[in-house]
Amino acid sequence: MTNLEKRRKDGRAYIIAEMSGNHGGSISRALEIVHAASDANADCLKIQTYTADTITIDCDKDFFKVKGGLWDGKNLYELYSEAYTPWEWTQPIMEECEKLGLDFLSTPFDFSSVDFLEEIGIDFYKIASPEIIDLPLIEYIAKKMKPIFISTGMATEQEILEAVETIRKTGNDDFYLLQCCSQYPADFTNMNLSLLPDMRKRFSCKIGLSDHSFGSLGPVVARTLGALVIEKHLCLDRNDGSADSGFSMEPHEFKQMVADVRNAEAALGEPVYGPSKGEVRGLRNRRSLFAVKDIAKGEEFTPSNIRS
């Protein structure tokens, strides 16, 4: 049984640790991140499956240069060449996850990466925010009839609807919409977490959060709004210079975030009236009526013989 199936049974959020390019080009560091995810009590370790040639064009024109943010001025081809996870690492990373009881997940960016992931027996897929408008890719993935996590960063309501309809047309209704702000790091004022219950109602689906903000606040708020999936980037050291480390959580922070989400779930509890288990002993301290004088049969109760 996958951890996703376990979380569906116990009702707790499914927590994904995204490695992305934080391995810094080192397989040993990648495996360290797998262990860090396990130690931090994540449910799943995620990577991304692409090469620079499958995701972009080797071009120096202005359109292919990053403007602002962590990667300001970088050429996309160079950035993806630096950040990608070599495909030959996928099997050992997946096997290490299996040893540690972690689910393994990846984000493909084209048909060839989907085919590769199918060959190694992946259980579910993630669709990144920029690919929510790539309907042929979404359809190709949905036809595999496996659970899908799809981020909604930058997407309009119509674009989300088209992606949802594309998935459902294949007969696959097992997907989660992950509210996402495609800003690195994300500012709280741009996260719009109030969309979560709206998306659940509007698109009749399960919801979650793909989060690029600092700290645990976003995941905790999202969970209280009904998010069933939380995805956060994980690195070994935020100052190591790897592609996404600048907005990623370090292992101790990720572990605290998981604890915060679990505590939020515990605090939410169930919509049950009456004393909780922890309150039962306190019932004896509520007001009660006591006879403070001898009262004869038939005598009226009065303020002088009864006290509260």
Side-chain angles (χ1 to χ4, degrees):
M1 180 186 290
T2 65
N3 289 328
L4 180 61
E5 291 169 317
K6 291 176 185 175
R7 292 293 170 248
R8 285 175 169 178
K9 285 189 173 183
D10 67 24
R12 298 199 295 170
Y14 185 66
I15 299 180
I16 301 169
E18 162 69 277
M19 181 188 304
S20 187
N22 287 331
H23 50 67
S26 163
I27 180 66
S28 62
R29 188 189 289 183
L31 295 175
E32 277 190 75
I33 293 174
V34 174
H35 281 262
S38 176
D39 292 342
N41 299 316
D43 293 307
C44 177
L45 185 283
K46 188 177 94 67
I47 66 170
Q48 298 179 6
T49 303
Y50 64 85
T51 68
D53 289 304
T54 62
I55 200 171
T56 189
I57 298 169
D58 188 2
C59 179
D60 281 326
K61 293 200 173 192
D62 196 54
F63 190 81
F64 293 89
K65 289 185 179 176
V66 181
K67 304 289 186 182
L70 290 176
W71 310 298
D72 185 40
K74 282 200 173 187
N75 168 282
L76 285 177
Y77 193 87
E78 294 169 348
L79 176 63
Y80 291 129
S81 296
E82 170 194 338
Y84 95 111
T85 302
W87 291 19
E88 61 269 23
W89 293 5
T90 308
Q91 192 78 42
I93 289 173
M94 185 169 73
E95 289 172 359
E96 199 68 18
C97 287
E98 289 172 357
K99 287 180 193 174
L100 297 170
L102 285 170
D103 289 347
F104 174 78
L105 173 64
S106 186
T107 302
F109 289 84
D110 75 315
F111 286 14
S112 70
S113 52
V114 176
D115 293 341
F116 170 75
L117 293 169
E118 279 295 298
E119 286 174 11
I120 66 170
I122 197 167
D123 290 316
F124 13 78
Y125 286 96
K126 168 75 191 295
I127 295 170
S129 289
E131 275 59 51
I132 197 170
I133 57 172
D134 189 344
L135 300 183
L137 177 63
I138 292 173
E139 181 180 19
Y140 194 67
I141 291 171
K143 283 181 176 178
K144 308 305 178 188
M145 304 308 290
K146 295 176 179 178
I148 301 169
F149 307 98
I150 179 166
S151 287
T152 62
M154 303 175 288
T156 65
E157 180 186 345
Q158 182 61 31
E159 288 167 344
I160 296 172
L161 179 61
E162 289 171 359
V164 166
E165 289 177 340
T166 298
I167 294 172
R168 285 189 167 134
K169 263 194 322 187
T170 68
N172 188 344
D173 199 37
D174 193 356
F175 65 92
Y176 298 76
L177 288 178
L178 308 187
Q179 171 61 5
C180 178
C181 173
S182 296
Q183 180 186 24
Y184 310 91
D187 189 289
F188 290 131
T189 59
N190 294 322
M191 291 177 66
N192 295 327
L193 295 183
S194 60
L195 273 173
L196 283 164
D198 187 82
M199 285 197 306
R200 179 175 55 199
K201 180 179 178 182
R202 192 174 301 271
F203 302 107
S204 301
C205 67
K206 300 179 287 287
I207 54 171
L209 172 68
S210 178
D211 185 30
H212 304 127
S213 68
F214 287 127
S216 301
L217 181 61
V220 168
V221 172
R223 183 64 190 98
T224 63
L225 291 172
L228 297 175
V229 175
I230 303 293
E231 179 191 36
K232 290 278 276 190
H233 285 247
L234 174 65
C235 67
L236 296 177
D237 182 347
R238 200 155 39 245
N239 298 310
D240 65 14
S242 53
D244 296 337
S245 58
F247 62 89
S248 298
M249 281 186 150
E250 293 183 351
H252 70 281
E253 296 170 324
F254 199 101
K255 188 171 187 175
Q256 184 61 55
M257 184 269 293
V258 174
D260 291 342
V261 170
R262 298 301 180 219
N263 285 334
E265 289 173 327
L268 282 170
E270 300 291 338
V272 177
Y273 290 100
S276 67
K277 290 179 181 178
E279 293 176 310
V280 171
R281 289 178 60 189
L283 286 175
R284 62 177 295 160
N285 297 322
R286 297 205 299 185
R287 284 187 174 271
S288 300
L289 290 177
F290 293 89
V292 294
K293 292 181 180 178
D294 291 338
I295 304 173
K297 184 177 181 179
E299 183 180 348
E300 288 187 1
F301 296 133
T302 67
S304 66
N305 60 24
I306 293 293
R307 287 284 304 277
S308 169

